[in-house]
Amino acid sequence: MIVSPAFAGKTYAVLGLARSGLATVRSLIASGARVLAWDDREAARADAAALGAEIADPQVNDLTGFAGVAVSPGVPINRHPIAKHARAAGVPLIGDIELFAQARSGLPPHKVVGITGTNGKSTTTALVHHILQVAGVPSLMGGNIGLPILSRDPLPAGGVYVLELSSYQIDLMNSLDCDVAVLLNVTPDHLDRYDGFASYRASKLRLFAMQSGRHAGVVATADETVRNLLAALKVGPRTWRFDKSEGGALAHTARHDWPALQGPHNWQNAWAAYCVAAELGVAKNVRDAALCTYPGLPHRMERVAEAGGVLFVNDSKATNADSAAPALAAYPAIRWILGGQAKSADLDACTRNFSHVRSAYTIGEAGPMLADLLRPHMPVTEAGTLDAAVAQAAQDAAVGDTVLLSPACASFDQFRDFEHRGDTFRELAQAVAKGDRP
């Protein structure tokens, strides 16, 4: 695990004891800190006590003199009482990434890549990590992907930490100076946590505001407002900016050789990763080869089965319309399965790709509403459940079609999370491929 003498002799509170919370408790105690820990779940409190933490609720305890309150990114600090309580005591709210930032000076010499954006973060993070692995550079993924960063063993000298960073995590950071900061895109999302879109966008841009002047930025969005705001921040001297023309950094490559990077959104994800790797000194021929061997991530345009000339693609991670739109653009003849818990009452981001959809199959709470939106544009079946949708889509599909789960909705009405939804789709699709009924 990552430990630091910077934490020794200090007192911290940790609120939220899931994976990252327990990793934070373990790291702080191993570093010589005193830790008060709390979670509403009794079993989680018992786990923290076994690590040596004192069990006490920081929301009602005196926080005077604490070095910080480490909260889970899932805690809505815009309305949770811990924010007011900590502020009254003059104690900062922090997260495990901020603790990692404070521990960096004691780690072997390394670099950090921080990747944020509304959509595409996981793919780009995994792709940068893959390129570095192909290049023989020690690296690991952390942040919003993989294992908690504080639970990982430090990299050797010359290593690169590649961090996927949500806006919630950035809100809990004050000092992470990324050697390369990446912004993929910013579209409205999570607005229940922010005072409007401008506030959400400002949270993303803080990743660049924390950089020192010598470090680099990669900006994949062409949004002029975002670019102007970044210019005002005086982002480092080397800033890579995406150009949609074929004169971009990857114009010489054959994108059809990237099986796990199909669709225009992945063109930008690949461009961003390519620029990050170039900034880190990875040779061009290694970057080119790595794009062809990248295996992709589960639940992100994941090819899960093929039967009778019909491809089944799991894009369960697409939990809003903006993240579903790229998958619709990637395939020419789609049987589209969508629905769940709606994050908005429209599919406007998807409309430009409706011509690719031969028929749609709606599921979950949002099914009837989405069916009404889509009927003027395409045949729609209100399937209700995922198994019914897969069965009907497979029956309707012709050779060359793609049965695509890209829900444009959250999953919590019928599934534990998007992974559970995607795993279920994979099982159903593979059953079809074996000739079984889902």
Side-chain angles (χ1 to χ4, degrees), residues 34-117:
R34 174 189 174 218
V35 176
L36 274 66
W38 186 257
D39 192 290
D40 290 338
R41 297 169 298 130
E42 184 177 353
R45 297 196 298 269
D47 289 340
L51 294 173
E54 301 172 35
I55 303 305
D57 188 347
Q59 299 171 83
V60 297
N61 276 262
D62 183 5
L63 299 177
T64 302
F66 278 52
V69 179
V71 302
S72 161
V75 173
I77 60 174
N78 61 323
R79 58 182 185 273
H80 197 282
I82 191 60
K84 181 178 180 181
H85 189 52
R87 186 165 54 249
V91 176
L93 291 184
I94 57 176
D96 64 329
I97 304 299
E98 173 59 25
L99 289 168
F100 166 74
Q102 295 175 18
R104 289 183 64 190
S105 62
L107 299 177
H110 63 275
K111 292 185 177 180
V112 170
V113 176
I115 298 169
T116 195

Side-chain angles (χ1 to χ4, degrees), residues 148-173:
I149 188 65
L150 294 177
S151 72
R152 307 298 299 272
D153 290 334
L155 291 169
V160 179
Y161 297 87
V162 188
L163 305 181
E164 176 190 336
L165 300 171
S166 71
S167 59
Y168 300 167
Q169 290 168 309
I170 296 172
D171 290 340
L172 297 169
M173 290 160 37

